[in-house]
């Protein structure tokens, strides 16, 4: 027993020791995930293992697993160092096993090391190099190829960008570009296989965007690749001839096909080197002299004559490629080939006449002429050219004929072409008097070929020379001429003779010495001697003249003769007055006398020296006389200076003619000036007997007018005038004096300090103006001055009468006119439009119905049409402006408005007003004269034009089989007016057949007073008496009739049908009705399509909770069918019907009792449950409408058990098929006092749909929970479900 106890004790101790040992908790490794940069090198810190121990025991760290070789760890600190390089691209995450020990306990964990990327990879191109063939015509910006490189790094370090760092040859650096992102190499310049390089090497660089991890310095990596671009030649260059220029030669007359020259063209597109085809496109010589072969050899094609085609022929040779170029055409080029023609001696020398130095100006000739003066030496031009068309020939020239020794020919030898002349060798043989011409031959001979010989004839004309002097027939000529002969008077014509032919008619005559030329001269080519100066031929001065007449031929050889000219005397001396002129003075009114004296140089014993005196007629010559023999001058009457021309200033000028008696008589005129001195013997005289002027009002200093006066005294001392206003001035005017012409002008002006006023009393002045000279000789004149009204008043409108214009009128003339007046006399009024507004539909809006002319006339706008139905009147507002206003405002103060009333015309047909009414006839309205329908129409016109009459134009009946029959005039229309509308009451003209089923189609026409009409078709349905509905009211007949409109409206709203009340009678069927005074309304309910409602349908619609409360308030208590009494009563039928009815009633009562009992039980059950829920949640609920049977309820339809808000219709499973009776029935408990009715009232029991007994009945508790008077809309769709809140377990 003791040993057992000891064993138990040892076991307990051992367990205690084990418990103490186990009480040291294990370390916890907190590190789960770490990140390490891949670019860390060996020995660098990677991370530190985060571990903890509750007892703070020293921890020992170690690494385990396959990846432990990549790291080392400090066993004491847990710092992990890099042992091997990391590579993220090889392994992105590393799972590293870690153990941590605190001595007793060791824990292990796997740490996930995420290797962060460092930029340690260069971009790698996908190809080691790129090579592309690029056509040289590749368009600029075309993509040539794409280089792609990838970078295993991530982030920016993996984003590769491209660039071209080198292009070989360097000249192509600008030709290429690369997309830095996409690597597309594009062309940026034009390639040219021929002109530029055919090969390009691009060194392309791919660089990443840089990155780092462990290092703070961003590292960039890059790589390079070469791209080789070979430019492909395309046929885009024209061919070119080589070794140009081309010069060849051929001998004339060479045989056909003789090879002349070879041309060569090559294709500049060296990579294509197309074959060439050659052709001759043009030649400088006519004809196809040469041809060219396909290999470019030019050969002779026709005979060659150098003398015809010239020394050279220039060919245009064309080389054409055999294949089309890039433009689809055959490229070509041209070159010129010069072919020199070598000459052979195959032509004789010939003579030519040339007009110029060019060969084409020479014509072949055989006859030549020349002329030479007799006895002269030198060469003779004969217009001869000798030419041998061959080159490098020698031609000899010789003379032939009888006169060959008189001349020599030059040159005697020539090559090719020379001008030929004759040279005189024997001038003595050239004698014009012996021979006039000589003929000889010039011979040209080819020395190489003597058979080539040509002869030309030369005719030399010998010209005469001047070798004789002119000679007069007499040595001396005696001539006579009268003195004072007119210039040009012929004295004599003397002609000399000269035998030389060139002098015939060409002898010139002169008078010698030069001193004689003052008196006489000779016509140079006729020998006529004439008087040169009449004035110098005075016999008294010189009576005889001697001169030498010289004749000169064309060569200047002279011949002379002597002329003796005698002057014959004539009467050529005038009388000479003793004084050159006479100036005398005389006072006006005094006598005048003067003696004129003169002498004559002619012989006193002849008539030439006898003198006579007379006065030359002039302005005042008649006032004087002179003695013809003695020359005494006297006045004939009194001399009056004022009668003289004032411009003469008192000076009279006379001319006295002194004449001798010679033949012809000679005279002299002497001037006599008589100065008449003035005396003051005249008063001033006004030019007008009176003056009348006008002046504008309101203008200070305004010029009024001028008066003119003159004093006939002609001296300033006596005729100077001054003006003054002596009367009638009233200080309003001043006058200033000015000299004007021979008189004086007095300018009348308004006083600068005075302003005249036309509207004042003084608008007319009569002035007395006085004119006086210096010696106070005076004269007066009356001057009337009218003050003129100035246009300074504003125009004023005259009243404008309204204008009436019929609508739709097209009047082109004026329909109205604005009128205005202006107090100013000189006015020009124009009218300007301010606005045009129309009164349209009660609003005033802008419109354009009319146009206002500047004259004030208002016309209709032809682009608009007046429409009374749119606008009733037009308001035209205008202003009037005076164009002649001189001062102030020129427009009227106020504007004027013209009212244009638009008169209605009958231009609108009546318009029916649509009514959503249903018309029908029943037996009660089928009698004659009963109104069965009505139509309403209106007319947009006004007045009598809008009066409407209705008439029935046709009546047809359409039965239920859609068969139509004409019913004649079964209805008539009776027209009445209600305000602006006209109503047509449709009445029967005879009793209708109530057995017909269908509708009447009644055509009704509305006609206005102008005959415009509109028709409509009215449908009147027939309704059987069986559709009559009996409505029972608790109100009296009088009350129902007074409220009939509201009742009919409520019935129509409830049934959506037209309601026709046929009678309202007191209800005498029951004692209660008789007691309360109820009544019965018999009505029909018909839809718009003619369908009538039966009483049961009406009853169902009126029982709708939405409408029945309203109808109940109007007194409706019962809806039933109509009762008709048969004229024949069958008692057996009534017994049978009574039995059947009793049985039905019994069944109905039993069924109703069972249903009501079942529903009442369930309602009480639900109410009890609701009460229970309310008692639990009462503290948290607000008061609200009562729960039927419990007087408890929560707000807003809350579930009294769960306190959840539900749609009551949903909770209580009241869907669209639940009858309204179900929802209303609950109200019977609380609202039974709302409507007082008999228990026997049929309305207290509503018709319900029977439910399946097997289905669980759910009472419409939501209706009880809803607010009083509210209901769920019948058109709401609800989904019913069973509320789990209501279960027996809760009870």
């Amino acid at each position: 027993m003791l040993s057992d106890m000891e064993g138990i004790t040892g076991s307990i101790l051992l367990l205690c020791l084990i418990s103490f040992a186990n009480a040291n908790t294990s370390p916890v490794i907190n590190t789960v995930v770490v990140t390490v940069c891949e670019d860390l090198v060996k020995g660098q810190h990677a991370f530190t293992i985060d571990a903890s121990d509750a007892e703070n025991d020293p921890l020992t760290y170690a690494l385990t697993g396959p990846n432990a070789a990549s790291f080392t760890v400090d066993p004491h600190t847990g710092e992990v160092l890099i042992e091997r390089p990391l590579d993220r691209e090889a392994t992105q995450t590393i799972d590293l096993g870690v153990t941590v020990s605190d001595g007793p306990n060791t824990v292990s964990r796997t740490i996930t090391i995420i290797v962060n990327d460092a930029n340690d990879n260069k971009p790698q191109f996908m190809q080691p190099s790129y090579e592309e063939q690029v056509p040289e015509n590749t368009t600029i910006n075309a993509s040539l190829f794409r280089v792609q490189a990838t970078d295993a790094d991530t982030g920016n370090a993996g984003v590769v960008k491209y660039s071209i760092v080198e292009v070989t040859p360097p000249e192509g650096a600008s030709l290429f570009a690369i997309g830095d992102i996409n690597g597309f190499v594009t062309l940026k310049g034009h390639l040219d296989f021929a002109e530029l390089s055919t090969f390009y090497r691009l060194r392309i660089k791919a660089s990443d965007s840089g990155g780092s991890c462990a290092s703070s310095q961003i590292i960039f990596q890059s790589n390079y690749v070469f791209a080789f671009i070979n430019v492909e030649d395309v046929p885009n260059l024209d061919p070119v001839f080589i070794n140009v220029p081309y010069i060849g030669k051929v001998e004339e007359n060479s045989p056909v096909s003789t090879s002349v020259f070879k041309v060569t063209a090559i294709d500049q597109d060296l990579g294509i080197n197309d074959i060439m085809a050659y052709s001759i496109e043009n030649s400088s010589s006519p004809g196809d002299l040469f041809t060219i072969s396909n290999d470019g050899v030019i050969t002779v094609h026709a005979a060659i004559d150098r003398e015809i085609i010239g020394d050279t022929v220039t060919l245009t040779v064309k080389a054409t490629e055999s294949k089309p170029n890039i433009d689809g055409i055959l490229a070509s080029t041209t070159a010129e080939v010069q072919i020199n023609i070598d000459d052979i001696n195959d032509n004789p020398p010939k003579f030519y006449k040339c007009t110029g130095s060019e060969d084409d100006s020479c014509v072949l000739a055989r006859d030549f002429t020349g002329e030479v003066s007799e006895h002269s030496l030198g060469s003779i031009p004969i217009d001869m050219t000798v030419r041998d068309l061959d080159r490098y020939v020698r031609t000899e020239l010789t003379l032939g004929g009888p006169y060959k020794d008189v001349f020599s020919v030059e040159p005697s030898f020539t090559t090719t072409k020379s001008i030929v002349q004759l040279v005189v060798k024997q001038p003595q043989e050239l004698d014009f008097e012996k021979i006039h011409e000589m003929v000889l031959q010039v011979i040209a001979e080819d020395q190489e070929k003597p058979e080539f010989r040509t002869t030309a004839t030369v005719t030399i004309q010998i010209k005469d020379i001047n070798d004789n002097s002119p000679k007069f027939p007499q040595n001396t000529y005696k001539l006579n001429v009268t003195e004072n002969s007119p210039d040009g008077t012929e004295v004599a014509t003397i002609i000399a003779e000269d035998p030389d032919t060139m002098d015939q008619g060409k002898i010139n005559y002169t008078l010698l010495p030069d001193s004689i030329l003052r008196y006489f001269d000779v016509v140079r080519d006729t020998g006529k001697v004439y008087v040169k100066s009449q004035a110098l031929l005075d016999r008294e001065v010189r009576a005889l003249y001697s001169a030498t007449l010289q004749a000169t031929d064309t060569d200047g050889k002279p011949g002379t003769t002597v002329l003796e000219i005698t002057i014959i005397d004539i009467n050529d001396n005038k009388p000479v007055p003793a004084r050159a002129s006479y100036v005398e003075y005389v006072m006006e009114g005094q006598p005048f006398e003067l003696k004129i004296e003169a002498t004559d140089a002619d012989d006193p014993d002849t008539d030439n020296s006898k003198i006579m005196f007379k006065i030359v007629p002039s302005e005042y010559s008649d006032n004087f006389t002179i003695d013809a023999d003695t020359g005494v001058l006297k006045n004939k009457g009194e001399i009056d200076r004022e009668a003289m021309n004032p411009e003469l200033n008192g000076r009279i000028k006379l001319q006295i003619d002194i004449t001798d008696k010679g033949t012809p008589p000679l005279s002299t005129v002497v001037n006599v000036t008589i100065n008449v001195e003035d005396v003051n013997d005249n008063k001033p005289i006004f030019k007008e007997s009176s003056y009348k002027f006008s002046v504008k009002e309101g203008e200070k200093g305004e010029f009024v007018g001028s008066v003119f006066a003159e004093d006939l005294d002609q001296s300033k001392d006596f005729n100077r005038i001054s003006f003054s206003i002596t009367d009638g001035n009233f200080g309003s005017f001043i006058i200033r004096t000015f000299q004007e012409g021979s008189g004086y002008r007095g300018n009348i002006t308004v006083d600068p300090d005075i302003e005249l006023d036309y509207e004042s009393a003084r608008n007319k002045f009569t002035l007395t103006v006085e004119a006086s000279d210096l010696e106070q000789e005076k004269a007066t004149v009356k001057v009337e001055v009218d003050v003129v009204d100035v246009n300074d008043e504003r125009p004023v409108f005259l009243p404008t009468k309204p204008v009436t214009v019929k609508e739709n009128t097209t009047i082109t003339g004026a329909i109205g006119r604005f009128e205005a007046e202006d107090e100013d006399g000189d006015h020009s009024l124009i009218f300007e439009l301010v606005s045009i507004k129309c009164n349209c539909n009660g609003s005033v809006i802008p419109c354009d119905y009319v146009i206002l002319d500047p004259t004030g006339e208002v016309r209709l706008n032809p682009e608009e049409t007046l429409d009374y139905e749119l606008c009733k009147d037009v308001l035209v507002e205008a202003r009037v402006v005076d164009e002649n206003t001189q001062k102030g405002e020129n427009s009227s103060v106020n504007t004027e408005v013209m009212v244009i009333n638009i008169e209605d015309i009958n231009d609108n047909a009546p318009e029916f007003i649509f009514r959503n009414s249903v018309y029908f006839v029943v037996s009660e309205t089928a009698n004659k004269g009963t109104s069965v329908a009505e139509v309403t129409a209106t007319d947009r016109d006004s007045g009598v034009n809008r009066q409407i009459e209705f008439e029935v134009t046709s009546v047809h009946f359409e039965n239920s089989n859609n068969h139509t029959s004409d019913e004649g005039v079964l209805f008539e229309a009776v027209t009445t007016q209600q305000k602006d509308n006209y109503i047509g009451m449709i009445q029967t003209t005879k009793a209708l057949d109530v057995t017909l089923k269908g509708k009447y189609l009644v055509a009704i026409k509305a006609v206005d007073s102008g005959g415009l009409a509109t028709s409509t078709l009215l449908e009147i349905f027939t309704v059987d008496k069986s559709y009559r509905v009996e409505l029972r009211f608790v109100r009296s007949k009088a009350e129902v009739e007074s409220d009939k409109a509201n009742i009919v409206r409520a019935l129509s709203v409830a049934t959506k049908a037209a309601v026709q009340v046929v009678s309202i009678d007191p209800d005498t069927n029951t004692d209660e009705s008789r007691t309360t005074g109820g009544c019965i309304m018999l009505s029909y309910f018909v839809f718009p399509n003619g369908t009538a409602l039966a009483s049961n349908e009406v009853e169902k619609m009126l029982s709708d909770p939405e409408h029945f409360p309203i109808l109940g308030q109007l007194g409706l208590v019962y809806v039933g069918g109509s009762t008709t009494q048969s004229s024949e009563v069958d008692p057996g039928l009534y017994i049978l019907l009574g039995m059947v009815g009793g049985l039905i009633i019994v069944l109905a009562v039993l069924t109703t009792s069972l249903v009501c009992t079942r529903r009442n039980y369930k309602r009480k059950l639900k109410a009890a449950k609701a009460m229970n829920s309310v008692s639990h949640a009462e503290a948290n609920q607000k008061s609200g409408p009562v729960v039927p049977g419990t007087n408890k309820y929560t707000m807003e339809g809350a579930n009294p058990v769960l306190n959840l808000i539900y749609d009551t219709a949903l909770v209580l499973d009241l869907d669209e098929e639940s009858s309204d009776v179900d929802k209303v029935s609950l109200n019977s408990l609380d609202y039974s006092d709302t409507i007082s009715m008999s228990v026997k009232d049929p309305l207290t029991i509503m018709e319900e749909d029977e439910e399946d007994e097997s289905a669980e009945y759910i009472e419409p508790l939501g209706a009880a929970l809803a607010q009083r008077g509210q209901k769920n809309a019948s058109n709401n769709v609800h989904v019913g479900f069973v509320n789990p809140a209501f279960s027996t377990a809760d009870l």
Side-chain angles (χ1 to χ4, degrees), residues 1119-1139:
V1119 179
S1122 62
T1123 58
T1124 59
Q1125 298 181 358
S1126 175
S1127 60
E1128 298 181 2
V1129 178
D1130 187 355
L1133 179 61
Y1134 275 105
I1135 293 172
L1136 180 60
L1137 292 175
M1139 295 174 64

Side-chain angles (χ1 to χ4, degrees), residues 622-635:
D622 293 337
N623 295 333
F624 297 89
T625 62
I626 191 169
D627 188 298
D629 295 327
T630 62
V632 176
L633 178 66
K634 296 182 180 181
N635 61 309

Side-chain angles (χ1 to χ4, degrees), residues 757-810:
D757 187 3
Y758 176 82
E759 287 72 25
S760 68
R762 287 195 180 94
N763 56 16
K764 189 179 183 72
F765 295 85
T766 301
L767 308 178
T768 300
V769 178
E770 180 184 85
S772 60
D773 61 17
L774 294 180
E775 293 188 355
Q776 295 302 309
E777 296 289 339
K778 301 178 180 180
T780 59
V781 70
K782 295 294 183 181
V783 177
E784 292 184 3
V785 179
D786 293 330
V787 179
V788 178
D789 185 21
V790 173
N791 193 337
D792 56 354
E793 300 295 333
R794 303 179 72 170
V796 178
F797 275 103
L798 297 177
T800 302
K801 296 180 179 179
V803 177
T804 300
V805 181
K806 292 183 177 181
E807 65 173 327
N808 299 332
T809 185
T810 57

Side-chain angles (χ1 to χ4, degrees), residues 736-915:
R736 291 185 176 88
T737 303
F738 301 91
Q739 184 175 2
E740 184 173 294
S742 61
Y744 287 84
R745 168 171 51 87
N747 285 350
I748 302 173
T749 59
V750 177
D751 192 302
D753 298 327
I754 298 298
E755 187 173 304
L756 301 179
D757 187 3
Y758 176 82
E759 287 72 25
S760 68
R762 287 195 180 94
N763 56 16
K764 189 179 183 72
F765 295 85
T766 301
L767 308 178
T768 300
V769 178
E770 180 184 85
S772 60
D773 61 17
L774 294 180
E775 293 188 355
Q776 295 302 309
E777 296 289 339
K778 301 178 180 180
T780 59
V781 70
K782 295 294 183 181
V783 177
E784 292 184 3
V785 179
D786 293 330
V787 179
V788 178
D789 185 21
V790 173
N791 193 337
D792 56 354
E793 300 295 333
R794 303 179 72 170
V796 178
F797 275 103
L798 297 177
T800 302
K801 296 180 179 179
V803 177
T804 300
V805 181
K806 292 183 177 181
E807 65 173 327
N808 299 332
T809 185
T810 57
I811 299 173
T812 58
I815 61 173
R817 182 185 181 90
F818 285 100
E819 293 184 347
E821 63 181 5
D822 194 318
E823 293 182 1
D824 298 315
D826 179 23
H827 61 261
S828 176
L829 303 183
I830 61 171
F831 297 84
E832 296 179 350
L833 181 65
V834 177
S835 67
I836 302 176
K837 297 180 179 179
C838 295
N839 186 2
C840 303
N841 299 323
S843 300
V844 178
I845 60 174
C847 58
D848 297 316
Y849 278 140
V850 296
I851 299 173
L852 175 63
D853 291 338
T855 59
E857 291 186 345
V858 179
R859 296 182 290 105
L860 294 179
N861 188 347
E863 298 181 358
E864 299 288 341
T865 301
L866 295 178
D867 190 348
Y868 174 83
E869 286 70 38
L870 295 178
C871 302
K872 298 297 186 291
D873 50 52
V874 181
L875 306 177
V876 183
E877 184 179 3
R879 71 167 59 90
V880 60
V881 176
D882 185 357
E883 290 185 318
N884 292 344
T885 297
Q886 297 169 313
K887 292 178 64 178
E889 298 292 334
N890 66 345
S891 61
S892 57
V893 176
N894 301 316
T895 59
E896 181 71 4
V897 177
M898 176 185 291
V899 179
I900 302 175
N901 297 312
I902 302 175
E903 183 179 342
D904 184 35
I905 64 172
N906 193 0
D907 60 341
N908 291 281
E911 299 174 357
F912 283 96
I913 300 176
F914 173 75
R915 282 187 174 182

Side-chain angles (χ1 to χ4, degrees), residues 38 87-90 92 114-122 150-160 208-213 219 221:
E38 69 168 328
D87 188 359
R88 186 202 64 82
E89 288 72 27
Q92 296 183 4
I114 299 175
V115 182
N116 284 347
D117 185 39
N119 191 6
D120 59 344
N121 291 279
K122 295 182 179 181
T150 59
D151 194 316
D153 296 319
T154 61
N156 288 338
V159 177
V160 180
D208 59 24
S209 298
S212 64
C213 186
I219 299 172
Q221 300 282 358

